[in-house]
C-alpha cells in the first residue's frame, strides 16, 4: 500500500504539471493544480499514513 | 553685408543638420552603457575640482568627529601620472555599490549561520534529557555534513544555471542549466557548473558570496528534519540522509525556484504571473525541510510510549523549556538575516526594501505568537510555552516567502493565521495522522511554509520593485487579492511540486537508507536514551535521569 500511495502522490504532481501543456486558461490550470494537490494529499494521508501505522514498533 | 548674411545662414544650416542628426541617433542602450564605466575616457579632474577636498595634512591632529575621514583622497587612482580621473571616480562608485551589497549579504549569511544554534537548543530542549547529547550532535553535524554535500554536489545543481546576479556585480559564469524541451518551452531541471567552486571560472568573489548565502539556507532545511526525528534516529542514518538532502533534494527544488528552473520561469514561459515567487524560502527552505521531516517520520514511526495500543497520543514533555524559548529568540534574530538579506543588496535594484522586509518579519513573528497563545489559552486554559514558541516561529516561517512582496498589514494577518494554523496542524499531525513529531517541525515548517507560499500569491501588493522585473517578467509581483490570478496559480504549482514531488523524492531516498543502513535505533537503546548507545556520553553526567517506566518495572 505504501508504494501505491507513493504512486498516487506523484500522480498528483503530474496532473498539476500537465496543466501547463494542455491549456492556456488560468482558471482551468488552477482547477487542475488544485486537483493535483488534492490527489497528492490523498496519497500521503489516505494511503501512506495508514500503511505505516501497521508497522509501529510495538505492533510488530 | 551679403557675405555676412550667407555666413550666418550657413552656420544656422549646420546647426540644424547637427540637431537633426542628434534627434535621429538611436537612444543609448542602458544595458550597454552600464559596463562602460571602466572603459570611460580618462578625463582629468582639475586642481579646481580638488581644491575643496581634504588634504592628508589636515588630519595631523586626528579626526575626532569623522568629518575628515573618507574623502577624495581615499579614491584609488589607476594612473598616478594622470591623477584622479572621472573614470576612477565612477569605478569607485561601482565598487562601493557592490561592496555594500557584498557586506550586507555576507553579514546576513553569518546571521543565518547562527540560526543553527537556535535550532539546536530548541530541539534539545524539547527532547528528553537522556537524548540531549544525541540531539545536539545531530544539530552540530548537520552543519558540516550538509555543507560538504552542498559543496560537492548541491551548489552546482542549484545555482549552476542561475545566470548573472546584478546586485553582486554579476555572476556570468553560473550559466549552464540542463533543460528539456516540453510544451514548446525550455524546462530547466538543474544547474551544471560551479563544482568545487572552481569549475568553469567559478573561482569568483561574487560566486563565493552567493555560495555562502545559499549554503546557510540549505543547512536550515537539513536541521528541520533532525527535530522531527529526534529520540529514535540512528546517527549513521541521520548523516546519510542529511547528505542526500543537501546534495539532491534541496538543491533540485531550489534550482526550480531560485536557480532559473522551470518554476521560476512559469511567468516568462506560461504567463503565470512572475513565476513561482518565494522571496526567502517558505517553500524552498522550510517546506522542503518540513515535508522531508514528514517522510522520515513516517518511515521511522513514533517513539515508544508516544501512542497507546489503541492509538491515543501520550504527551512526552521536553526537558528544558528555557532553552526552547531562548532558541526561539536566537532564531528570530537570525531571521533578520534570512529575510532582509534575501534582497542580496542594500544599494540599487530595490535593496532599500530590506527595511520593509525586516519590519514585515518582525510583525509576522509577533502576530504569530499572539495567535498561538490565544488559541492555546482559549482551548486549553493556559498559554502553553512550547506552542507559543512554535507559533512565533510559524509566523516567521509564513512571512519568509511573502516578506519581500507584501505590506505590513498583510504581514500581520499572515503571521496571525500562521500562529493559529500551527496549533491546528500540530493537533492534526499528532491525533489524526498519528505521526510523532517531538518538536512540531512538520507543522511549523511544512504546513506554514506552504501557507507562506500561498500567502504570497494572495497578498503581494504589486508595490515591490526589484530592478523592474522578477523572474524575467517586467513589473512587480502581484497576488490574487490585487488582481493577478496567474500569480496564485504559480504559487499553487509550487505547492503541488512540494507535496507531489519533493515528498516522494524524500520518501524514496530515506526508504533506501532504511533498507541499507536502517533508520531506527533498537528499542533497548531508545528506552535507555540515545546519548550513551549512540554518542558514548550523556549530556548531563551529574544529573540523575528518571528511568523509563518500562525499564523501572
Amino acid at each position: 500500500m505504501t508504494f501505491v500511495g507513493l504512486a498516487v502522490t506523484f500522480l498528483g504532481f503530474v496532473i498539476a504539471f500537465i496543466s501547463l501543456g494542455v491549456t492556456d486558461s488560468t482558471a482551468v490550470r488552477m482547477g487542475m493544480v488544485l486537483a493535483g494537490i488534492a490527489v497528492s494529499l490523498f496519497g500521503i494521508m489516505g494511503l501512506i499514513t495508514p500503511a505505516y501505522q501497521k508497522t509501529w514498533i510495538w505492533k510488530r | 553685408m551679403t557675405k555676412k548674411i550667407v555666413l550666418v545662414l550657413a552656420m544656422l544650416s549646420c546647426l540644424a543638420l547637427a540637431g537633426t542628426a542628434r534627434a535621429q541617433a538611436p537612444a543609448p542602450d542602458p544595458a550597454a552603457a552600464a559596463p562602460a564605466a571602466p572603459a570611460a575616457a580618462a578625463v582629468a579632474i582639475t586642481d579646481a575640482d580638488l581644491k575643496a577636498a581634504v588634504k592628508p595634512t589636515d588630519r595631523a591632529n586626528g579626526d575626532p568627529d569623522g568629518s575628515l575621514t573618507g574623502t577624495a583622497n581615499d579614491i584609488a587612482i589607476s594612473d598616478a601620472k594622470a591623477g584622479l580621473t572621472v573614470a576612477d571616480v565612477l569605478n569607485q562608485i561601482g565598487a562601493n555599490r557592490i561592496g555594500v551589497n557584498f557586506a550586507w549579504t555576507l553579514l546576513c549569511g553569518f546571521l543565518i549561520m547562527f540560526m543553527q544554534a537556535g535550532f539546536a537548543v530548541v530541539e534539545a530542549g524539547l527532547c528528553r534529557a537522556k537524548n540531549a547529547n544525541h540531539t545536539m550532535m545531530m544539530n552540530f553535524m548537520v552543519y558540516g555534513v550538509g555543507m560538504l554535500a552542498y559543496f560537492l554536489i548541491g551548489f552546482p545543481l542549484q545555482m549552476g544555471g542561475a545566470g548573472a546576479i546584478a546586485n553582486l556585480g554579476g555572476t556570468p559564469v553560473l550559466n549552464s542549466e540542463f533543460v528539456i524541451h516540453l510544451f514548446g518551452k525550455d524546462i530547466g531541471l538543474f544547474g551544471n557548473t560551479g563544482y568545487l567552486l572552481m569549475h568553469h571560472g567559478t573561482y569568483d568573489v561574487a560566486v563565493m558570496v552567493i555560495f555562502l548565502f545559499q549554503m546557510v539556507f540549505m543547512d536550515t532545511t537539513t536541521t528541520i528534519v533532525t527535530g522531527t526525528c529526534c529520540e529514535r534516529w540512528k546517527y549513521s542514518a541521520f548523516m546519510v540522509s542529511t547528505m542526500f538532502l543537501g546534495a539532491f533534494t534541496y538543491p533540485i527544488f531550489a534550482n526550480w525556484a531560485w536557480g532559473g528552473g522551470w518554476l521560476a520561469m512559469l511567468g516568462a514561459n506560461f504567463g503565470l504571473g512572475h513565476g513561482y515567487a518565494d522571496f526567502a524560502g517558505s517553500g524552498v527552505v522550510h517546506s522542503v525541510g518540513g515535508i522531508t521531516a514528514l517522510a522520515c517520520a513516517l518511515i521511522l514511526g513514533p517513539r515508544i510510549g508516544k501512542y497507546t495500543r489503541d492509538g491515543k497520543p501520550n504527551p512526552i514533555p521536553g526537558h528544558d523549556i528555557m532553552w526552547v524559548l531562548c532558541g526561539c529568540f536566537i532564531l528570530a534574530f537570525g531571521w533578520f538575516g534570512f529575510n532582509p538579506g534575501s534582497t542580496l543588496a542594500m544599494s540599487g535594484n530595490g535593496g532599500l526594501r530590506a527595511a520593509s522586509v525586516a519590519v514585515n518579519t518582525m510583525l509576522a513573528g509577533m502576530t504569530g505568537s499572539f495567535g498561538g497563545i490565544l488559541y492555546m489559552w482559549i482551548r486549553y486554559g493556559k498559554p502553553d510555552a512550547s506552542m507559543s514558541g512554535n507559533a512565533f516561529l510559524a509566523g516567521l516561517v509564513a512571512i519568509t516567502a511573502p516578506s519581500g512582496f507584501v505590506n505590513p498589514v498583510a504581514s500581520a494577518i499572515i503571521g496571525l493565521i500562521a500562529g493559529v494554523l500551527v496549533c491546528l496542524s500540530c493537533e492534526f499531525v499528532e491525533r489524526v495522522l498519528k505521526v510523532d513529531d517531538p518538536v512540531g517541525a512538520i507543522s511549523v515548517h511544512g504546513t506554514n511554509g506552504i501557507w507562506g507560499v500561498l500567502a504570497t500569491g494572495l497578498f503581494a501588493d504589486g508595490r515591490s520593485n526589484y530592478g523592474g522585473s522578477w523572474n524575467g517578467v517586467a513589473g512587480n509581483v502581484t497576488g490574487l487579492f490585487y488582481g493577478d490570478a496567474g500569480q496564485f496559480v504559480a504559487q499553487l504549482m509550487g505547492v503541488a511540486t512540494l507535496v507531489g514531488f519533493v515528498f516522494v523524492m524524500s520518501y524514496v531516498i530515506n526508504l533506501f537508507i532504511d533498507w541499507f543502513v536502517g533508520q531506527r535505533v533498537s528499542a533497548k537503546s531508545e528506552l535507555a536514551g540515545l546519548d550513551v548507545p549512540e554518542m558514548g556520553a550523556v549530556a548531563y553526567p551529574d544529573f540523575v535521569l528518571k528511568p523509563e517506566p518500562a525499564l523501572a518495572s
Side-chain angles (χ1 to χ4, degrees):
Chain A
M1 191 55 76
T2 299
F3 292 103
V4 175
L6 281 174
V8 171
T9 305
F10 189 72
L11 177 66
F13 166 68
V14 172
I15 291 169
F17 185 76
I18 284 177
S19 72
L20 297 173
V22 299
T23 178
D24 288 332
S25 162
T26 301
V28 176
R29 280 176 173 168
M30 187 184 291
M32 288 184 70
V33 176
L34 284 171
I37 293 171
V39 169
S40 289
L41 290 177
F42 171 73
I44 296 171
M45 297 180 192
L47 298 174
I48 297 174
T49 304
Y52 107 94
Q53 287 174 359
K54 293 175 184 169
T55 64
W56 281 356
I57 190 167
W58 59 92
K59 283 191 173 181
R60 289 173 188 164
Chain B
M1 185 64 185
T2 308
K3 282 183 179 176
K4 283 184 178 176
I5 292 171
V6 170
L7 188 60
V8 169
L9 286 174
M11 288 173 66
L12 288 172
S13 301
C14 287
L15 286 170
L17 283 170
T20 307
R22 189 168 295 159
Q24 290 172 348
D29 180 4
V43 178
I45 293 175
T46 64
D47 290 344
D49 296 326
L50 295 170
K51 195 174 181 182
V54 177
K55 308 288 183 298
T57 52
D58 294 341
R59 292 180 63 185
N61 294 322
D63 180 21
D65 65 354
S67 60
L68 304 178
T69 305
T71 66
N73 299 307
D74 298 304
I75 298 175
I77 296 172
S78 57
D79 183 353
K81 288 181 182 174
L84 184 63
T85 65
V86 170
D88 290 333
V89 175
L90 293 175
N91 281 333
Q92 188 67 57
I93 292 170
N96 284 357
R97 182 190 163 222
I98 300 305
V100 166
N101 293 347
F102 267 39
W104 170 246
T105 308
L106 286 171
L107 282 171
C108 286
F110 303 156
L111 279 179
I112 301 168
M113 184 270 176
F114 190 54
M115 289 173 75
Q116 297 292 317
F119 278 114
V121 293
V122 166
E123 293 175 13
L126 283 170
C127 75
R128 288 165 289 184
K130 64 180 181 178
N131 298 305
N133 184 9
H134 181 259
T135 305
M136 285 298 287
M137 273 300 290
M138 285 201 295
N139 279 277
F140 181 74
M141 276 311 293
V142 85
Y143 182 67
V145 173
M147 193 195 309
L148 178 63
Y150 195 68
F151 173 60
L152 293 175
I153 302 169
F155 179 73
L157 291 184
Q158 179 188 335
M159 299 302 288
I165 300 170
N167 284 338
L168 300 177
T171 48
V173 288
L174 297 174
N175 60 0
S176 178
E177 177 81 0
F178 179 83
V179 299
I180 57 172
H181 203 65
L182 207 59
F183 308 137
K185 308 288 181 184
D186 284 337
I187 306 290
L189 293 182
F190 56 86
N192 195 28
T193 192
Y195 293 98
L196 303 175
L197 297 176
M198 297 290 284
H199 171 236
H200 199 247
T202 49
Y203 185 15
D204 175 281
V205 288
V207 174
M208 298 301 155
V209 174
I210 199 67
F211 172 82
L212 185 142
F213 196 68
Q214 293 297 333
M215 198 292 294
V216 288
F217 270 63
M218 178 280 306
D219 251 0
T220 303
T221 301
T222 54
T223 202
I224 291 167
V225 186
T226 59
T228 294
C229 299
C230 69
E231 303 203 309
R232 62 217 193 272
W233 206 4
K234 194 185 284 185
Y235 201 77
S236 53
F238 141 75
M239 292 187 73
V240 178
S241 179
T242 300
M243 185 75 85
F244 276 95
L245 180 55
F248 298 107
T249 315
Y250 173 87
I252 293 292
F253 187 78
N255 173 270
W256 294 355
W258 289 341
W262 68 274
L263 279 173
M265 293 294 110
L266 285 177
N269 284 342
F270 299 101
L272 293 176
H274 288 69
Y276 175 74
D278 191 344
F279 190 73
S282 287
V284 175
V285 176
H286 296 282
S287 281
V288 168
I291 285 169
T292 302
L294 173 63
C296 289
L298 287 169
I299 293 168
L300 277 170
R303 292 166 292 173
I304 294 173
K306 177 62 188 174
Y307 292 98
T308 61
R309 282 201 170 273
D310 56 356
K312 288 182 181 170
N314 293 318
I316 302 179
H319 82 282
D320 197 336
I321 199 66
M322 269 70 77
W323 266 130
V324 174
L325 295 182
C326 183
C328 288
F329 273 122
I330 292 174
L331 285 168
F333 177 66
W335 237 286
F336 288 125
F338 215 96
N339 292 359
S342 291
T343 57
L344 303 179
M346 263 294 174
S347 178
N349 289 340
L352 294 181
R353 175 115 182 149
S356 174
V357 177
V359 170
N360 287 344
T361 304
M362 295 174 81
L363 290 172
M366 176 269 293
T367 54
S369 59
F370 276 179
I373 285 174
L374 286 174
Y375 177 87
M376 296 303 287
W377 216 331
I378 292 167
R379 185 157 163 74
Y380 297 103
K382 299 286 181 187
D384 182 85
S386 64
M387 281 309 298
S388 301
N390 270 345
F392 185 37
L393 300 182
L396 294 169
V397 167
I399 200 60
T400 300
S403 58
F405 308 116
V406 301
N407 59 48
V409 173
S411 300
I413 295 170
I414 291 167
L416 186 68
I417 292 172
V420 176
L421 185 61
V422 72
C423 299
L424 296 170
S425 178
C426 278
E427 291 176 347
F428 181 78
V429 168
E430 181 177 89
R431 297 174 187 177
V432 179
L433 296 183
K434 300 190 191 305
V435 172
D436 184 13
D437 183 4
V439 305
I442 295 169
S443 300
V444 171
H445 300 278
T447 307
N448 280 287
I450 287 173
W451 162 233
V453 170
L454 296 177
T456 306
L458 296 172
F459 290 98
D461 63 2
R463 301 291 297 277
S464 55
N465 187 317
Y466 298 99
S469 69
W470 189 267
N471 283 339
V473 180
N476 305 330
V477 176
T478 307
L480 182 65
F481 294 160
Y482 294 85
D484 190 353
Q487 185 63 51
F488 187 59
V489 176
Q491 302 304 107
L492 283 172
M493 189 68 77
V495 173
T497 308
L498 285 163
V499 296
F501 180 85
V502 173
F503 176 84
V504 172
M505 184 175 181
S506 294
Y507 195 97
V508 170
I509 287 172
N510 283 285
L511 205 57
F512 273 107
I513 294 171
D514 193 34
W515 285 341
F516 287 107
V517 183
Q519 292 267 15
R520 186 161 181 148
V521 297
S522 68
K524 186 180 176 186
S525 296
E526 187 178 338
L527 289 169
L530 304 189
D531 280 4
V532 174
E534 287 285 305
M535 311 314 306
V538 294
Y540 308 103
D542 296 336
F543 287 25
V544 177
L545 301 179
K546 190 175 79 173
E548 284 293 317
L551 289 181
S553 57

